[in-house]
Structures are given as structure tokens and as C-alpha cells.
Amino acid sequence: SLLDTSGASPVQVFWVKRASVAVPLGQLRLNRVKINRVILEEALFYQRVDSSGQKVGLRFKPAAQDDTTGSRIPFVIPRVTIRQGRIESQNQYKNSSFALDIAQANLSAHLKDQRLTLEGDLNGKVREIKNNRISFFRNQAFTADVHYTYALNQKTGTFYNTHALVNNNKISIKGTHTKLTSGPGAKLNLTVAGYQPLVYLFRQFLPPQAQPFLDRFKTKSQLHFLLKLTGDSGPMQKPRNSIAFRLKNGEFYLPASKKYIREVQLAGEMNNGQGRSLQTSQFTISNLSARTDQGEIKLQLQVADFTKPTFKVEGQGKIALTDMAGFINLPFTHVAGGIV
């Protein structure tokens, strides 16, 4: 195990219960290192940033020379197996966290021309991806096909042709992270895109005050989303994040009126705003159109300031009062009929 001893008491930041390495008997060439297999069982990687911005985790001293012997000699590891691993990162200053349980990972690794490449597949469970009060994919099982390179000279990591399967839907992950020139952290340019169940996705990033709205209808529609993380990110720096989403030809069922709303078209975005905080966060539906028994309706919705949400709704069209009551609370104990 490895300990961070920079604080008042040591903290375990890397731990492996059992490790085995298989090296070919004929490994005599010093200009190239080959390892047949590496197996890590019950491994843990942990880091934490406290409420004052102090980091606990693995620390690397700058190399005495940029071109070290270790980075010049290429190596190949055809099989890297991880069983029962965990990655956990907490940031109390930014109120964010990332926790991933790896049941099994089957990877390969090689270093050549100052470029480290990792490829392979893994499966496990996302314990939590949290940003402020918003949590993504909590306790969701996943499988992933990973392709990643890290350029040692530029200190830039790149995800490419990387996909994960969550809720039986394929999600693509691509982009880069580059070490900041001063201080800890990285400049991000990452995108995550794919389809997820509409209610499941909205339930994760809408504020608590808006959650009851999602209980008023049922749908099997799949929502396409595009998440972007850009800008500087560090122990005390938050990146810019935005989620664009769209739905084509969706269908909603309203249990209260026992009716369907069909041909639902939806487009919108959520972002953390200029201040990159809950106060500056916005949720916007720029276009919502649907077909009802009375014709077509068109709506726009904006939710601002997730600490004290304010709602703004604009629209036009015709909808039955019984259908409207299925979406929002009306000041009536009973709705017999009528059209708005």
C-alpha cells in the first residue's frame, strides 16, 4: 500500500491485496521490456480534497531530467487483469465525488515513443458521479470498451473509440485532459453522449422541487444527451459543464386522464452557468411540441437558480383540462372537462 503522509495522519491512497507478475524466461533484452501478465486483486485508488482545498492522494515529484531512461525504454504488457478494484475521489470543496467499483478489467498496456496506451474491457458498477446536488448513474451496472493514450511529453490523455453500456444503452466517451501548467488539475475537453430513458435522466439532474412533475406521466421514450466538460478543473476549480438533450417522436401516458400525448418533440439544455455553481445553473427546454386530442401544443420552459428555483413557462396550443391536470397541480378538487 501507499500512504499520503502530508497531513496530520497518514491516509491510504493506493492499496493492492494481491499482485502477481509473469515475465518471460527469455527476457534478456534491456532495450525493450516485456511482461506477459499482471494480475491485481482487490485494488484501491483513493484521493480526497477537503473543504479548504487541501488534497490527499498520490503525489509525484518532478523528474530530474525530462527524458528519463524509464520513458525511453518501450514496454509491452499484453494482459493486465484487475479483479475487485475501486476508484474513489471526493472533493468536499466543490461538493463533488466519483466512485467506481470494477468487478473485472481485462486490459493491455504498452509504452512507445513517449506514449502510453491502455486498451481493453471492464465491467462493474458506478457507485456515484456527483456534481453539487446532482448525481449521475448512481448504483448503475456498466460494461465498457476502453481505448486511452497518454502522451508523456505533452502530459495529455486522450479517450478514443471508448464506449460504455448503461441501462442497455450505448454511451460514447471521447476527448482530452491536459495537465495544467501551474498547480494541480487539468484542462478538460471531454464529451459523453448517448441515449438514456427520459424519466431516469431527468430525475438525476432536475432540482428536488421539480421531481414531483416526473411522477405525473409514464413513458418508455429514450432521450439523446450530449454532456460536455470544458475548461480548467482542479481541487478548487470547477469546469464548465453543459448537457444538451433531444427527443424525437416520444409518447407520454397520463394516468390521471388515461390519455396519451404523442409525437412529442423535445430539445433543451442544462448548464452550470458563468459562475459554475447551483446559483447560476439553468435548465431550459427551448422547444417542446406534442399532439393531443385537441391539436398541437408548443411550450418553452426555463428553470433558473437551483438553490431557489424559479420557473418560467411560455406556450401556445390547445389541451384538455384533464390532460393539463395530469401534468400540473390545478386549484380544483375535481376537473370534469374543458379545453385550454
Side-chain angles (χ1 to χ4, degrees):
S1 66
L2 297 176
L3 304 176
D4 185 333
T5 58
S6 61
S9 58
V11 177
Q12 185 173 259
V13 295
F14 183 75
W15 178 79
V16 178
K17 182 177 182 179
R18 186 180 296 108
S20 62
V21 179
V23 180
L25 292 176
Q27 175 66 277
L28 299 175
R29 296 171 58 189
L30 298 180
N31 63 338
R32 187 172 185 267
V33 177
K34 183 177 181 180
I35 300 173
N36 280 348
R37 184 175 65 251
V38 173
I39 300 176
L40 304 178
E41 298 186 55
E42 297 187 34
L44 168 70
F45 170 81
Y46 175 78
Q47 69 175 22
R48 183 184 72 237
V49 176
D50 65 20
S51 57
S52 65
Q54 297 300 310
K55 180 182 176 181
V56 172
L58 290 175
R59 299 172 183 271
F60 300 94
K61 294 181 179 180
Q65 297 178 358
D66 291 338
D67 189 14
T68 63
T69 303
S71 64
R72 290 202 310 267
I73 297 178
F75 72 80
V76 177
I77 308 177
R79 293 175 58 189
V80 179
T81 301
I82 302 173
R83 300 185 185 124
Q84 303 303 320
R86 174 174 292 181
I87 301 172
E88 189 169 345
S89 176
Q90 300 174 341
N91 191 312
Q92 297 173 356
Y93 182 86
K94 297 194 299 185
N95 192 23
S96 64
S97 63
F98 174 84
L100 188 74
D101 287 339
I102 299 173
Q104 176 140 342
N106 303 295
L107 307 170
S108 66
H110 65 267
L111 175 66
K112 184 179 180 181
D113 299 330
Q114 296 282 309
R115 186 176 293 271
L116 173 66
T117 301
L118 295 172
E119 297 177 338
D121 60 83
L122 63 152
N123 65 80
K125 179 183 288 187
V126 179
R127 291 174 59 204
E128 185 176 54
I129 302 174
K130 181 183 176 184
N131 182 22
N132 286 319
R133 298 178 187 174
I134 302 169
S135 294
F136 296 94
F137 305 121
R138 176 179 288 180
N139 295 323
Q140 281 295 322
F142 77 95
T143 61
D145 182 21
V146 178
H147 294 81
Y148 174 82
T149 64
Y150 186 80
L152 277 66
N153 287 340
Q154 292 81 24
K155 295 182 174 60
T156 297
T158 303
F159 288 96
Y160 63 98
N161 294 335
T162 294
H163 303 92
L165 193 67
V166 181
N167 283 321
N168 294 319
N169 286 278
K170 188 177 181 180
I171 296 174
S172 67
I173 304 167
K174 64 180 181 180
T176 62
H177 62 92
T178 303
K179 187 180 184 306
L180 297 178
T181 54
S182 61
K187 182 177 288 293
L188 303 181
N189 185 16
L190 298 170
T191 63
V192 181
Y195 285 89
Q196 286 292 291
L198 182 146
V199 174
Y200 170 80
L201 200 61
F202 276 8
R203 199 173 291 282
Q204 293 183 75
F205 57 67
L206 280 175
Q209 294 87 339
Q211 294 290 329
F213 169 75
L214 299 174
D215 297 325
R216 295 179 170 272
F217 64 87
K218 296 181 179 180
T219 180
K220 295 181 179 179
S221 297
Q222 301 284 319
L223 193 73
H224 182 270
F225 74 95
L226 174 64
L227 168 64
K228 292 185 177 181
L229 300 170
T230 56
D232 294 353
S233 177
M236 302 174 68
Q237 294 172 289
K238 298 179 181 179
R240 169 81 168 176
N241 63 59
S242 65
I243 305 175
F245 51 86
R246 58 179 170 81
L247 171 69
K248 292 184 178 180
N249 277 334
E251 182 178 89
F252 292 2
Y253 175 68
L254 306 178
S257 62
K258 298 181 179 180
K259 291 184 179 180
Y260 286 91
I261 294 180
R262 296 183 168 88
E263 299 179 32
V264 180
Q265 317 295 325
L266 175 68
E269 180 186 2
M270 189 191 80
N271 60 68
N272 59 355
Q274 293 297 323
R276 305 181 182 184
S277 66
L278 286 173
Q279 288 84 353
T280 61
S281 293
Q282 290 188 336
F283 174 85
T284 303
I285 294 179
S286 55
N287 177 52
L288 170 60
S289 63
R291 179 72 58 181
T292 69
D293 292 345
Q294 281 68 42
E296 186 179 32
I297 59 171
K298 294 183 178 181
L299 294 173
Q300 295 85 42
L301 167 69
Q302 184 178 67
V303 182
D305 188 353
F306 280 22
T307 60
K308 298 178 181 179
T310 59
F311 297 81
K312 181 180 179 182
V313 182
E314 297 178 353
Q316 61 183 21
K318 292 182 179 181
I319 185 171
L321 272 175
T322 52
D323 293 344
M324 180 177 287
F327 274 108
I328 61 176
N329 288 319
L330 296 176
F332 311 115
T333 57
H334 177 70
V335 177
I339 297 174
V340 177

